[in-house]
Amino acid sequence: NAGVTQTPKFQVLKTGQSMTLQCAQDMNHEYMSWYRQDPGMGLRLIHYSVGAGITDQGEVPNGYNVSRSTTEDFPLRLLSAAPSQTSVYFCASSYRGPTEAFFGQGTRLTVV
Amino acid sequence: AQSVTQLGSHVSVSEGALVLLRCNYSSSVPPYLFWYVQYPNQGLQLLLKYTSAATLVKGINGFEAEFKKSETSFHLTKPSAHMSDAAEYFCAVSGDNDMRFGAGTRLTVKP
């Protein structure tokens, strides 16, 4: 039982590059979300999805795009990377709505 | 919008001592509240949750939390700390569409 799988685990980008962080869950969860974790700031919500085809913005959506074409996958796209996007990114899923979230292992992103 | 505030970014206790991590919430509706734990270089793991069924909630690894509406608090406790409890702990509150986290409290356990 894989749970929530994030790839890659580590990534270094140059300013202005774009990339996609992958997230997949095998628990048939309706709700998925992306957070970024920065020291002293806890986790801040970037985007979330309540089901396939439905996404919405969280607290800090600027510079990021998401889509949800299937129940299982919820990729996060950085359009033009900036040093301020250096962070650890976590994907999470839950059965229905934002409760009892299961988290992936995280992606540590550095933008130089 | 719901929010939580964790009091104290760092807490240090001796092994065997009481652990108390503080969390206060703000919510316009009865909240769903959570405590998560994060070990180094790992994702978050659910410790316990409050969903209005009982005010004293027991979780994994001997932790428990008490919901106090009058104080808008949801503090996490453990009677006797173990070295393996060293980690970062996050309080969270969920609304209709999102879950908001506190800034976290790093727990250090001294031998």
Side-chain angles (χ1 to χ4, degrees), chain A residues 72-101:
Chain A
E72 295 78 17
D73 299 299
F74 190 44
L76 177 72
R77 297 182 186 85
L78 279 69
L79 308 174
S80 177
S84 60
Q85 294 179 304
T86 293
S87 187
V88 181
Y89 292 84
F90 287 100
C91 179
S93 74
S94 51
Y95 177 61
R96 184 173 295 168
T99 65
E100 294 187 62

Side-chain angles (χ1 to χ4, degrees), chain B residues 91-103:
Chain B
C91 182
V93 60
S94 69
D96 288 340
N97 290 314
D98 61 9
M99 181 178 290
R100 301 296 176 103
F101 287 82

Side-chain angles (χ1 to χ4, degrees), chain B residues 12 37 40 68 78 81 86 89 96 102 105 109:
Chain B
S12 181
V37 60
K68 292 187 176 181
K78 182 174 181 177
Y89 293 80
D96 288 340
T105 298
V109 181

Side-chain angles (χ1 to χ4, degrees), chain A residues 22-70:
Chain A
Q22 302 292 343
C23 176
Q25 53 92 5
D26 62 359
M27 297 173 283
N28 201 31
H29 285 172
E30 291 185 356
Y31 185 92
M32 296 185 73
S33 53
W34 277 101
Y35 292 87
R36 60 177 289 173
Q37 183 178 23
D38 302 292
M41 304 189 74
L43 279 78
R44 291 181 291 167
L45 182 65
I46 305 172
H47 285 285
Y48 64 93
S49 168
V50 299
I54 306 170
T55 64
D56 207 344
Q57 297 180 352
E59 301 173 77
V60 289
N62 292 341
Y64 307 95
N65 273 355
V66 292
S67 60
R68 184 95 180 270
S69 57
T70 67

